[in-house]
Amino acid sequence: MFRTVPDLVWAIIFIIIVGLGPAAGVIAVMVDKIGFAGRFFAEAMEETDPGPQDALRAIGASRLGIIGSAVIPACLPSFTATSLFALEKSVRGSAALGLVGAGGIGVDLKVAFDLFNYDEALAIILMMLALVIAVEQGSGWIRRKLI
């Protein structure tokens, strides 16, 4: 259910629950990304090689020990890639959430457009573009270092 509802709909739901402001936006992004990341994390854990798990089970390791010693290390590259993609998606989507009243830079952009202050709106758009590019470059660097 978390994955099927778009983050804009979550934002509207949480605006109704907690009111206008950044809290609704943060909760909407969290709920949307929990569903997104949860699915990919589960698939990564299901696709791990059962050999190391069986070896640890044969020597009497606990279930938590197997997860910590075999499953998580095998899934770490996938977890990292999914988390970084979710971060990139959150940064891009946060501007749109502000347009519906869920706080953030989208509110400033909407106010600039409503007041016909196009110079300020252009500056906000360019800063958002720079932020998205910086996050993508940073996550690309992290991927190269960790994966």
Side-chain angles (χ1 to χ4, degrees), residues 70-143:
V71 177
I72 291 179
C75 296
L76 200 54
S78 178
F79 287 176
T80 303
T82 300
S83 299
L84 290 172
F85 183 72
L87 174 66
E88 292 174 20
K89 190 173 182 251
S90 296
V91 169
R92 287 190 303 266
S94 64
L97 293 180
L99 294 174
V100 297
I105 194 71
V107 173
D108 295 328
L109 182 61
K110 183 177 181 339
V111 168
F113 276 120
D114 288 346
L115 297 176
F116 303 108
N117 192 351
Y118 297 121
D119 292 340
E120 185 178 339
L122 177 62
I124 292 170
I125 290 170
L126 290 176
M127 291 306 294
M128 288 184 341
L129 177 65
L131 177 64
V132 168
I133 290 171
V135 168
E136 287 182 7
Q137 293 297 316
S139 67
W141 180 81
I142 291 171
R143 277 190 191 97

Side-chain angles (χ1 to χ4, degrees), residues 11-36:
I12 293 169
I13 291 169
F14 289 116
I15 286 171
I16 293 168
I17 295 171
V18 299
L20 290 172
V26 169
I27 297 170
V29 168
M30 283 180 9
V31 168
D32 185 54
K33 297 310 171 265
I34 286 171
F36 170 80

